[in-house]
Amino acid sequence: MWLAEHWNDYEVIDASCGEKLERWGDYILLRPDPQVIWKTKRFDPRWKKVNAHYHRSAKGGGEWEFFDLPKEWEISYSLADMPLRFRLQPFSFKHTGLFPEQAANWEWFSAIIRSAKERKPKREIKVLNLFAYTGGATIAAAAAGAQVTHVDASKGMVTWAKENAHISGIPETSIRWLVDDCKKFVEREIRRGNHYDAVIMDPPSYGRGPKGEIWKLEDALYDFLVLTEQLLVKEPLFVLINSYTTGLQPGVIRYLISQTIASGHAGDVEADEIGLPVTHSAAPLPCGCSGRFFVNF
């Protein structure tokens, strides 16, 4: 498992009975987690002193119960001694605007980008981030020295990502922001003849396109990877695919990358769960999986 174990402003304090107790900066949140099927004792007193609690409904969805939580706040993450800052706020379906387990991937691809820049300081490294959400990966890649194209279909998410980049001190010239359907954008980039040194994607399990097109990850991912492969330079640095779809195992992601990305480019493929350490447990909390294609120099 790849662990995001270098956080100071975030912590999974404990997890039990379908919920996880988290510290986000100065605030304690209690949120549901379907992976937490164990029923261990809740010894930490903060279980009863939370700032907000998301209650899941038996009918699906749920709602927040607030005690003492601001409408928004910030936390930071130190990446190679550069502080990245993220604005947080509780919004629908339990989220806060950041997936902290992704820091394991930020560390990985940032090291690749920095290494490539060290070998060729004048090289422009173009990274495409698809389904880019609030920009955690975008900001990490830009901080490492890449020129990033950030694509998400939600105008609100792109605006949020821009704010995160601004408070992190990322130069405006380092990121191109696009509100667009990712599949249609990739198809247009292929027709334009544009190419990228690396691609990051965090596709949703399920969604609808602007004209009602249905996206179901298990059905759409292979064809989407076939398309995306055409945007890569002859010798790409890396491709990163994240998945939170229940039942889509790391071995499946590894096979998909091997059959699409690696079939046309020389490099290595690996996949594994990503997770977070738990303060009151020796076992980490699994948080989905990632697949990686990369070139060893």
Side-chain angles (χ1 to χ4, degrees):
M1 182 182 288
W2 296 319
L3 287 178
E5 54 189 350
H6 302 302
W7 278 99
N8 291 319
D9 277 3
Y10 174 81
E11 173 190 10
V12 180
I13 300 167
D14 202 0
S16 178
C17 301
E19 295 182 304
K20 56 187 174 185
L21 183 68
E22 304 166 291
R23 179 180 61 82
W24 297 80
D26 295 328
Y27 302 102
I28 307 298
L29 303 186
L30 183 55
R31 298 191 297 159
D33 191 314
Q35 300 276 13
V36 182
I37 63 173
W38 49 89
K39 300 177 182 179
T40 49
K41 296 284 187 179
R42 297 183 173 191
F43 293 111
D44 196 293
R46 287 171 289 184
W47 279 105
K48 297 180 180 180
K49 296 180 180 180
V50 301
N51 297 101
H53 184 182
Y54 187 91
H55 299 275
R56 173 166 285 168
S57 169
K59 298 179 180 179
E63 62 180 0
W64 285 97
E65 180 183 12
F66 299 109
F67 301 103
D68 184 19
L69 187 73
K71 289 184 177 180
E72 62 179 61
W73 72 103
E74 295 179 9
I75 63 172
S76 65
Y77 184 81
S78 182
L79 187 65
D81 295 325
M82 181 172 183
L84 310 182
R85 298 199 64 81
F86 304 100
R87 180 175 66 84
L88 305 176
Q89 70 178 69
F91 70 107
S92 60
F93 201 64
K94 77 178 181 180
H95 296 313
T96 63
L98 186 69
F99 294 101
E101 62 273 11
Q102 286 298 326
N105 285 321
W106 304 342
E107 297 276 358
W108 172 74
F109 65 67
S110 294
I112 294 175
I113 294 169
R114 289 194 300 270
S115 178
K117 293 289 285 187
E118 288 171 0
R119 290 193 303 273
K120 295 182 179 180
K122 294 183 179 180
R123 176 182 178 180
E124 181 182 73
I125 297 173
K126 296 173 63 180
V127 175
L128 174 61
N129 188 11
L130 299 167
F131 311 98
Y133 195 52
T134 58
T138 293
I139 295 164
Q147 293 295 125
V148 186
T149 298
H150 175 110
V151 187
D152 196 281
S154 169
K155 183 178 180 180
M157 291 299 105
V158 173
T159 299
W160 193 334
K162 286 181 180 180
E163 294 174 1
N164 285 336
H166 175 71
I167 62 178
S168 294
I170 303 297
E172 292 184 6
T173 54
S174 295
I175 305 171
R176 180 167 63 131
W177 306 101
L178 294 168
V179 179
D180 205 343
D181 177 83
C182 289
K183 182 173 182 290
K184 293 185 182 301
F185 174 78
V186 169
E187 290 171 338
R188 287 198 301 273
E189 288 289 85
I190 292 171
R191 292 195 295 270
R192 293 168 183 146
N194 290 333
H195 293 88
Y196 295 85
D197 299 285
V199 174
I200 301 165
M201 66 175 73
D202 194 351
S205 298
Y206 181 86
R208 289 186 179 273
K211 295 184 178 179
E213 307 95 328
I214 294 176
W215 167 280
K216 188 176 181 183
L217 187 65
E218 296 93 327
D219 297 334
L221 185 56
Y222 177 83
D223 291 337
F224 189 70
L225 290 178
V226 170
L227 275 177
T228 304
E229 185 275 332
Q230 298 175 58
L231 289 181
L232 293 170
V233 297
K234 185 178 180 181
E235 297 180 351
L237 292 178
F238 67 88
V239 174
L240 171 65
I241 302 168
N242 295 305
S243 172
Y244 291 93
T245 300
T246 304
L248 197 60
Q249 300 298 320
V252 175
I253 299 294
R254 183 186 298 111
Y255 193 89
L256 284 170
I257 296 174
S258 297
Q259 295 300 310
T260 55
I261 307 301
S263 65
H265 305 275
D268 296 324
V269 179
E270 60 183 8
D272 206 341
E273 289 183 290
I274 53 174
L276 291 159
V278 180
T279 301
H280 286 303
S281 173
L285 180 66
C287 305
C289 67
S290 295
R292 300 168 174 177
F293 168 87
F294 58 100
V295 178
N296 280 314
F297 292 96

